[in-house]
Amino acid sequence: MARAAGVSESTVSRTLRDPTLVAEATRQRILAAVAATGYVPSYAARALASGRADVIGVLVPSVTNHVFTDVLEGIYSGIEGTGFDIQHGNTRYQPELEEGLLRVFLSQRPAGMIIAGVDQTDTSRRLLADAQCPVVQIMDIGPEPVDMMVGFSHEAAAHAATRHLVDAGYRNVAFLGAQMDPRTLRRFAGYRAALSEAGMFDAGRVETTADPSSVTAGAALFARLADRCPEVDAVFCNNDDLALGVLFEALRRGFDVPDRLGLCGFNDFEFAAASEPGITSVRTNRREMGRRAVELLLGRLDGTDPAARVVDLGFEVVARRSTAGRAAMPA
Amino acid sequence: MARAAGVSESTVSRTLRDPTLVAEATRQRILAAVAATGYVPSYAARALASGRADVIGVLVPSVTNHVFTDVLEGIYSGIEGTGFDIQHGNTRYQPELEEGLLRVFLSQRPAGMIIAGVDQTDTSRRLLADAQCPVVQIMDIGPEPVDMMVGFSHEAAAHAATRHLVDAGYRNVAFLGAQMDPRTLRRFAGYRAALSEAGMFDAGRVETTADPSSVTAGAALFARLADRCPEVDAVFCNNDDLALGVLFEALRRGFDVPDRLGLCGFNDFEFAAASEPGITSVRTNRREMGRRAVELLLGRLDGTDPAARVVDLGFEVVARRSTAGRAAMPA
DNA sequence: GTGAAAGCGCTAACAG
DNA sequence: CTGTTAGCGCTTTCAC
């Protein structure tokens, strides 16, 4: 390659890394030769020689759950034009897999790591803490960031959503959950706390599955719940998928939403606003979360120390017709 | 590291690559030292020294569209336990971005590449053809694979779905499309051909948007269509998202599905079976597609030549209640 | 503005 | 089974 352009290796290297370091004419000649030969520099050699990888590792538990794909979107858009690449791994909700992937990723000496959740194994935490790169935990917040965090409190969000159902006049509020990962469990805790405070908690009105969240699962869980607890007049779903399934199952059973049944989902997926009736949900700023995670990482790499190590992006209960039912009615 | 265990570099290397090459005692000592020091080998150095990367590059146009996340699931599950890693890029439906990412990926000398679609730019095709690794194009099939292909004919699938609507007794069948990527256009061609053959094609009954597919978009497109063409009695949607939006909009307008309006989606997303009524859709084997792509790649790397360079996974029109309307009625 | 030389941290023969 | 010896293809001082 260097020979093809009649210059030394170093000049080619310079041209490719920072064209301004090279004289116009030389640059032209080199770029022409690169185009002609279809030369593509070796990433491994560059990484080894420079000691930098320009890769940001991203570890999430699922690639099919919209919750994470939205965050990924945010990360991709935040990274665009920065010269960094994303290396993306799928931990499939398995801590051991996460640990393994973490090792693989760290062996690439990434410029930074973004990892979902705050519930890593001890080993994973240590690997992250020892990593010679900034780390951002996303999706959740907690008291002990490995390094930085950007997320929101799932417990507080679920508490607010449940409270909204109570305020809307519903009295027998059930909980539907899937996957049962740590964030789901924290949402359940929020639900439970809100109902306990209102003196309305009933452990029987809970239906869950370890399967992934889906519309089908929502319908099935609600069918079981409705058969078992006919007195239930509202459902808080751990995910909008489930809520949509409940909506369809309610339709099949002739339960009016929101009159006979109040319905609240979580995550405010796009369809929640478009459905009929609209489904009340909890909006979380997932794209923003991805962008901020990248921002924190890049900031640290620039030497800027972040204002805060833990960024709480908050949430918002978006009330729609699915919970409009009992508000106007006599209690 | 080698020093910490009191052995030579090569022995450490061997232990980490293939523990059986090393004596039990030595291995123990080395592994202990690795654990104690938290040593993680440099990926770049290994890749450079061995000339292999053990990375499979995957390029898809979107990480939020379920169509691609399903394929990714298949790829991840196919790769599991093989020792290969996935490097995943997001081309955002932009050919120039695809080209750029392709360069980045190839500079890592991947063991293989999986890339969505058959419509790469000339430059991208050349890069792929020149790449020193097997390449699988997925999602679609066509006459000229760069190397290998696994997918199905979008035109044939849309043709069959449209034909199903006609056979069900619908006469004024509209088309709703979003994103308008090459595969969408091919589906439109299939729709058009099927209706033309039946003498029912009307260019006015088409409503599209360049925005990504979504439930909201489906509702909006149908609202526009229904206002403009009240005679429409069935809709073929380019994606199930859109179909769900149509279902909700039909509900708002008091159009019975399937009596007043036949509805057919595409992709057979999970919710199509769970909705009320169930939405007729076209099932495509996306997870299988991902798995087969990995299989083809690994096969080639093993030296096995594939039986066929182009694998057609086919499709299946899954008839549900949303298209049960006019069948029993007099035409 | 450009070239020469010295590695980056591993792997891959080849001995022993 | 283990150590030794060369690089892999770049980047990076340091001269010129």
Side-chain angles (χ1 to χ4, degrees), chain A residues 17-324:
Chain A
R17 265 178 307 117
D18 183 357
T20 64
L21 294 175
V22 171
E24 174 65 21
T26 325
R27 189 193 319 156
Q28 296 293 331
R29 197 146 34 89
I30 294 178
L31 292 177
V34 166
T37 55
Y39 168 78
V40 187
S42 153
Y43 198 87
R46 163 176 299 183
L48 182 58
S50 70
R52 284 176 292 105
D54 289 359
V55 163
I56 291 177
V58 179
L59 248 30
V60 295
S62 158
V63 284
T64 48
N65 187 333
H66 258 317
V67 166
F68 300 107
T69 60
D70 286 343
V71 177
L72 285 177
E73 260 297 304
I75 292 176
Y76 278 111
S77 86
I79 222 74
E80 211 165 51
T82 62
F84 286 94
D85 294 314
I86 298 295
Q87 168 103 36
H88 166 201
N90 180 0
T91 65
R92 306 173 141 230
Y93 291 102
Q94 297 169 37
E96 324 78 56
L97 242 174
E98 179 172 85
E99 227 175 271
L101 280 169
L102 206 44
R103 270 181 227 281
V104 170
F105 274 46
L106 293 180
S107 75
Q108 311 212 27
R109 306 285 138 87
M113 284 291 309
I114 297 177
I115 186 164
V118 300
D119 307 279
Q120 283 76 32
T121 63
D122 287 345
T123 311
S124 290
R125 274 190 81 92
R126 230 203 44 213
L127 283 170
L128 284 169
D130 291 351
Q132 288 310 304
C133 71
V135 174
V136 185
Q137 289 163 289
I138 56 172
M139 303 308 298
D140 204 344
I141 53 178
E144 294 178 346
V146 167
D147 181 5
M148 296 176 283
M149 265 180 185
V150 40
F152 66 95
S153 164
H154 290 255
E155 183 162 351
H159 188 287
T162 309
R163 186 67 227 172
H164 166 79
L165 285 166
V166 172
D167 290 345
Y170 299 102
R171 289 296 164 259
N172 303 314
V173 181
F175 177 90
L176 256 48
Q179 191 77 59
M180 307 316 281
D181 60 288
R183 286 171 294 285
T184 297
L185 296 176
R186 255 169 245 141
R187 285 182 213 156
F188 176 70
Y191 153 85
R192 179 182 186 138
L195 285 194
S196 297
E197 285 160 20
M200 294 177 186
F201 179 70
D202 180 335
R205 295 182 193 135
V206 173
E207 201 74 57
T208 65
T209 173
D211 292 340
S213 179
S214 70
V215 180
T216 308
L221 288 172
F222 181 63
R224 232 187 295 158
L225 176 79
D227 289 343
R228 207 161 49 71
C229 311
E231 81 284 5
V232 162
D233 63 0
V235 182
F236 170 52
C237 297
N238 169 57
N239 200 333
D240 283 344
D241 297 0
L242 298 179
L244 184 57
V246 172
L247 184 62
F248 287 132
E249 184 61 25
L251 204 60
R252 280 189 276 272
R253 289 175 179 244
F255 287 10
D256 183 82
V257 174
D259 288 344
R260 165 67 180 81
L261 186 76
L263 181 57
C264 178
F266 201 97
N267 287 320
D268 198 32
F269 285 153
E270 175 262 330
F271 64 74
S275 79
E276 179 56 32
I279 300 172
T280 294
S281 192
V282 182
R283 177 177 303 157
T284 63
N285 309 295
R286 295 184 293 282
R287 282 184 188 72
E288 175 67 7
M289 207 180 291
R291 270 193 293 269
R292 288 296 282 279
V294 171
E295 212 175 283
L296 286 175
L297 237 36
L298 298 182
R300 178 68 67 78
L301 294 172
D302 274 0
T304 331
D305 245 333
R309 297 164 73 82
V310 179
V311 179
D312 184 348
L313 249 30
F315 57 85
E316 181 190 354
V317 176
V318 182
R320 299 203 177 89
R321 203 149 63 74
S322 75
T323 55

Side-chain angles (χ1 to χ4, degrees), chain B residues 30-53:
Chain B
I30 293 178
L31 292 177
V34 166
T37 55
Y39 168 79
V40 186
S42 154
Y43 198 88
R46 163 175 297 183
L48 182 58
S50 69
R52 284 176 292 106

Side-chain angles (χ1 to χ4, degrees), chain B residues 9 13 17 39 46 49:
Chain B
E9 271 184 72
S13 172
R17 268 178 303 120
Y39 168 79
R46 163 175 297 183

Side-chain angles (χ1 to χ4, degrees), chain B residues 286-300:
Chain B
R286 295 183 294 280
R287 282 187 187 70
E288 175 67 7
M289 207 180 290
R291 270 194 291 270
R292 290 295 284 278
V294 170
E295 212 174 284
L296 285 175
L297 237 38
L298 297 182
R300 177 69 65 77

